[in-house]
Amino acid sequence: MSTNLPDAARTDAVALRDALLKAEFTADGLLELLGAPAYTALARSETVPALRATRGDSPLETLVRLFLLQQPVARARVADVLPLDACLDGGWLREAGDEVAATVDVRPYGGPDGEDWFIVSDLGCAVGGAGGIGSRAEGVVLGVGGASTTLAGITVRTPVASALDIGTGSGIQALHATRHATQVTATDLNSRALHITGLTLALSGVQAADLREGSLYEPVGDARYDLIVSNPPFVISPGARLTYRDGGMSGDDLCRSIVQEAGAHLNEGGYAQFLANWQHVEGEEWTERLRSWVPRGCDAWIVQREVQDITQYAELWLRDAGDHRTDPAEYAARYDAWLDEFEARGVKAVGFGWITLRRTDAAEPSILVEEWPHPVEQPLGDTIRAHFERVDWLRAHDDAALLESSFKLAGEVVQEQVGLPGAEDPEHVVLRQGRGMRRATKVDTVGAGFAGVCDGTLSAGRILDAIAQLMGEEPVLLRDRTPAQIRTLVEQGFIEPAGPAASAG
């Protein structure tokens, strides 16, 4: 069912946006007004510094108190800053005697190219905002949190004709997609979330999305897209109390379903990117569990970023819902229910990470499942796109073609030598990336020497011949045993194909 924002609401949003920008109610404006300490305190759900910084009567101070701090403000004061009647009629504000109060949280959000965007969410539900998650109502719509920005950062941002945001919530992923997709479709089981998304897009001054109510892919039928993204309600919980976070299916079935069904909705070469939780089950390799999720006809790159045992996991989400502030007996009963659920399925831990699929016509799709809990450099969209381009290159080049090709050392790769002080030779050599995934990999003397001279001028075969001569090895044997190591360096992004070498041989 389509639930697109009425034209009148979009008109009201345009007028409100103009007023917000005039008052410099932007990410930069807030930082300048509040100062770094008060600004960052809001992310810790501490409002006192921001309240102290907004005791004046400037238009910006008025808007901060109204929308970010959710304080009632005198009607006359608001009327000087906003189109008051339109905001009241449009449901942005409500009357409270001689004062008015916000009905939704509106907070500035800086786009990747400096755009002045705004994220709308329910009061007390702007994640990391003034009040934290202050509501336990089932259908609340959250603002932007760490998961939202993580997904936005890893998404491949090539220009596409069509994009689909599943479980759109406040519309953050759909908002980003408007920058590079001709048509954006956003779905959600929660009709209020779709309304909020419409407000977010309109208030941010971007194109409208096609908003559809329903579960997962059901609202779009058999339609196919160039990009699918989702930060789904991935929490594995007993029951589905909270629509915004709980999957509502058994275990990790919701995440499995959204991944498995993506293949049927992707155009050739299209990407599907998700955040997900998955179970670590006794007697089962978690990597094989995730491999089984990958749909036919898709390459996949799955990265596990974090693992929690079942007690840590239960406690995290009990606190998220505020259950730790309830009656101790009620809290203990909910905790027991989580552990009962996990033990019944033999779950010992829960993993969290990213899943990227790419539709391919290759006879043997590439599936990489790995654990990488170390720091990375966001945004990673270009890094992820480059990974799949390297997959294509490696698939198209057998060992003979690889040895005839030339390579370049990737940017900001350094070499570290590890060994005892004073030792003549290092125990091992490590190549380390300064960008993207910031990987580190051990290499032998040949691998280190090879990477060090890759400047795109000599073929891999010629470089190996020179290394063989220096090491007193048989060139043919070195050519036979080194391609696997070269492939690993290419796959992980330490060296990049530079095309056929003029001096190939």
Side-chain angles (χ1 to χ4, degrees), residues 258-483:
I258 201 171
V259 173
Q260 286 186 335
E261 295 173 22
H265 294 278
L266 278 177
N267 289 324
E268 188 66 28
Y271 287 90
Q273 299 187 265
F274 312 105
L275 300 186
N277 276 180
W278 43 80
Q279 298 173 150
H280 285 229
V281 179
E282 291 282 357
E284 176 187 76
E285 286 292 332
W286 69 270
T287 55
E288 292 307 309
R289 182 181 193 85
L290 289 174
R291 284 179 176 275
S292 73
W293 289 11
V294 178
R296 294 181 62 184
C298 287
D299 292 324
W301 184 15
I302 301 173
V303 182
Q304 180 167 272
R305 295 287 290 159
E306 184 180 0
V307 181
Q308 292 184 320
D309 67 48
I310 57 175
T311 59
Q312 292 174 309
Y313 189 80
E315 291 163 13
L316 169 66
W317 295 109
L318 287 167
R319 288 195 301 271
D320 170 81
D323 290 324
H324 61 303
R325 294 190 292 268
T326 63
D327 176 73
E330 181 182 347
Y331 174 80
R334 291 195 185 281
Y335 200 150
D336 261 337
W338 283 70
L339 297 185
D340 285 344
E341 185 88 359
F342 284 134
E343 290 173 6
R345 292 197 298 271
V347 178
K348 58 182 179 179
V350 177
F352 167 82
W354 321 321
I355 298 176
T356 300
L357 308 176
R358 186 190 59 166
R359 188 76 189 179
T360 180
D361 59 2
E364 296 185 13
S366 166
I367 301 177
L368 173 62
V369 183
E370 63 176 331
E371 184 168 23
W372 189 254
H374 311 293
V376 298
E377 181 191 42
Q378 283 275 37
L380 274 171
D382 286 345
T383 297
I384 290 174
R385 175 184 51 78
H387 165 83
F388 287 97
E389 289 176 349
R390 293 193 300 270
V391 166
D392 284 341
W393 190 93
L394 289 169
R395 199 154 41 200
H397 291 72
D398 60 17
D399 286 356
L402 182 145
L403 292 174
E404 292 175 355
S405 301
S406 60
F407 300 89
K408 290 183 178 180
L409 187 68
E412 296 194 31
V413 172
V414 297
Q415 176 179 302
E416 299 175 358
Q417 299 189 51
V418 182
L420 294 174
E424 184 174 344
D425 296 313
E427 292 181 15
H428 57 261
V429 177
V430 174
L431 299 182
R432 188 178 300 276
Q433 298 169 343
R435 305 292 302 274
M437 291 293 286
R438 293 178 172 164
R439 294 186 185 277
T441 188
K442 289 183 182 180
V443 291
D444 61 17
T445 304
V446 174
F450 180 88
V453 297
C454 281
D455 61 3
T457 59
L458 293 176
S459 70
R462 290 289 297 275
I463 292 174
L464 291 180
D465 289 347
I467 292 174
Q469 185 175 4
L470 287 172
M471 297 178 63
E473 288 199 29
E474 176 60 44
V476 174
L477 295 179
L478 195 59
R479 282 179 175 240
D480 285 345
R481 68 178 174 86
T482 307

Side-chain angles (χ1 to χ4, degrees), residues 9 18 62 70 88 107 126 134 140 162 185 187 205 229 320 323 328 335 355 359 376 379 392 396 407 439:
D18 290 342
T62 297
Q70 281 102 55
L88 290 169
R107 64 190 54 222
V140 299
S162 58
T185 300
T187 72
V229 293
D320 170 81
D323 290 324
Y335 200 150
I355 298 176
R359 188 76 189 179
V376 298
D392 284 341
F407 300 89
R439 294 186 185 277

Side-chain angles (χ1 to χ4, degrees), residues 17 27 109-117 179 204:
R17 173 178 172 80
Y109 178 79
D113 290 329
E115 301 94 340
D116 288 319
W117 289 342
R179 295 179 59 247
S204 296

